[in-house]
Structure formats: structure tokens, C-alpha cells
Amino acid sequence: SQQGEEDPQALSIQEGENATMNCSYKTSINNLQWYRQNSGRGLVHLILIRSNEREKHSGRLRVTLDTSKKSSSLLITASRAADTASYFCATERQGKSTFGDGTTLTVKP
Amino acid sequence: NAGVTQTPKFQVLKTGQSMTLQCAQDMNHEYMSWYRQDPGMGLRLIHYSVGAGITDQGEVPNGYNVSRSTTEDFPLRLLSAAPSQTSVYFCASSYLPPGQGRGQPQHFGDGTRLSIL
């Protein structure tokens, strides 16, 4: 069964707006990672947050983790057309990664 | 630095045929894994390896075999292809297994798009 579930499934915004995606999971984890997938390509790592961390920043990306609610969010600020892609969270425990079904983000110029 | 290389990029098979999907990495990573991605879904783990000579099953291993004779290579074999195995297959690698140490990203290949008729 899938450990991580993203919400929403699809998101369409205008360039310059912020995009927020959420990930929920069911069991305890060691780490949570966010990946991006452009159409027809493999996944590219964006950011890692460890279970003892609450917030991480990387450029225009902000990730939060709430282990009590078993949830994480990815915020992309000042979005660009080039941010159009699918975004996946991956929870890590016991030597395995489990991916959610992803959020498809469309940024309109 | 090539990273993770998957071949072929596309393949069409008939039901019952067998084939091997190749995966090679040049980063000296110990951990390698195979995933399949079906339309509109995330990745599901097929098999993984924590080092040469060591493999284990993931979430959806049936119909697939793997071996790890070297650190660099991790081929995935379809024994007798079925239409349900039509999917995009991704190979990934990382220095340590997910969740171990302080955590590190998995590096992905660009995938093999497999259609089984």
C-alpha cells in the first residue's frame, strides 16, 4: 500500500503565484524527500527533511514536516513556467522509499 | 559523469517474451533499486540491492528477477512478459539505503518505456 499520498492531485496557477502541495503518510519515518519529474524524464531530487526537523528551505522551496500529523508540505514561491512538472513525496524507513501518486503542477505564463 | 544510465529507452514485446532491462551507475553507490510507474501514479518498488551479491524483493516483485554481480550494474529481467507489465521502469541508486545515515537522495535514470502486446 502507498505510504505517501499527495494532495491535490492537480494544481494550476499563474506565473508568480505560490504553489503548495501536501503529503500525508501512515507510519513513522526516518526521512521524507521531495522529487520533481518533468514529462518523459526520471525523478530529480529537490529537498530532504529528516524526522527531527520541522522546516527546510532551498532557494524558492520551503518544506515543512509535522510528524505528529504525519504530514509534509512543499511550497514553491514565485512560481515560473519552468516549474511545470509532477511532484512526489517519498517517505523513507527500514531501507526503502515509498512514493505517493504525485501532484501535477501547471504554471501558466 | 553519466549518473544512472538505463537501456533501452523504449521496447515493445509480445506476451510471453523475455527481456532484460539494463541499469548502470558510475557513482560507486551501494544501493540500487528498480521501480515501475503506471500512468498517473507514483513509483512502486520492484526489487532492490544493498550491495554486490545482495538483492531483495520490494512491493511488486512477481514476474521479475534481478541480480547484482557488480557494484555498477543492476539488470532487471522479465521472465515471461504479460500485458500487466506495460509500464515505465526506473532504476535508481544512492550511496546508502533510504533512511540510513543522515539521508541522501536517490539518483534516477530516465526510464525504459515498455509496452507488452
Side-chain angles (χ1 to χ4, degrees):
Chain A
S1 61
Q2 292 290 83
Q3 163 80 308
E5 295 182 3
E6 282 96 339
D7 169 60
Q9 290 187 336
L11 181 61
S12 181
I13 59 175
Q14 294 294 132
E15 209 165 24
E17 295 181 338
N18 295 341
T20 300
M21 291 158 257
N22 302 295
C23 171
S24 60
Y25 56 93
K26 298 175 182 174
T27 62
S28 63
I29 62 173
N30 298 116
N31 305 312
L32 188 145
Q33 311 227 31
W34 284 90
Y35 290 84
R36 183 176 103 170
Q37 183 180 36
N38 289 90
S39 180
R41 302 298 300 273
L43 276 69
V44 175
H45 179 256
L46 293 176
I47 195 165
L48 156 74
I49 188 163
R50 300 182 179 91
S51 59
N52 61 352
E53 298 175 318
R54 293 296 167 260
E55 187 170 314
K56 291 272 298 272
H57 294 258
S58 177
R60 294 185 295 113
L61 305 180
R62 172 178 171 256
V63 168
T64 62
L65 179 64
D66 186 335
T67 53
S68 66
K69 295 181 179 178
K70 292 185 171 60
S71 68
S72 174
S73 68
L74 170 67
L75 169 67
I76 304 174
T77 60
S79 62
R80 306 165 181 169
D83 293 328
T84 294
S86 293
Y87 293 81
F88 295 89
C89 68
T91 54
E92 299 183 341
R93 71 188 289 264
Q94 297 181 344
K96 297 177 187 177
S97 286
T98 305
F99 288 81
D101 288 343
T103 293
T104 299
L105 173 66
T106 302
V107 181
K108 300 175 183 176
Chain B
N1 193 337
V4 178
T5 303
Q6 291 184 238
T7 57
K9 294 189 185 303
F10 302 92
Q11 184 71 48
V12 179
L13 292 178
K14 294 181 179 178
T15 297
Q17 288 184 316
S18 63
M19 80 160 293
T20 299
L21 280 63
Q22 301 292 343
C23 175
Q25 53 92 7
D26 61 0
M27 297 171 283
N28 202 30
H29 286 166
E30 292 294 326
Y31 183 85
M32 296 185 74
S33 54
W34 276 102
Y35 297 88
R36 61 176 288 173
Q37 184 179 33
D38 297 313
M41 297 181 67
L43 278 67
R44 290 185 291 169
L45 182 64
I46 305 172
H47 285 286
Y48 64 97
S49 169
V50 298
I54 306 169
T55 63
D56 207 345
Q57 297 181 349
E59 182 185 0
V60 288
N62 292 340
Y64 308 94
N65 269 357
V66 292
S67 60
R68 184 95 179 271
S69 57
T70 67
T71 299
E72 295 78 19
D73 300 300
F74 191 42
L76 177 72
R77 297 183 188 85
L78 277 70
L79 309 173
S80 178
S84 62
Q85 293 177 305
T86 293
S87 189
V88 182
Y89 291 84
F90 289 99
C91 178
S93 74
S94 57
Y95 184 65
L96 290 174
Q100 289 193 10
R102 291 181 56 77
Q104 62 273 295
Q106 291 195 71
H107 297 259
F108 285 82
D110 278 339
T112 294
R113 284 145 188 82
L114 182 63
S115 293
I116 301 168
L117 307 177

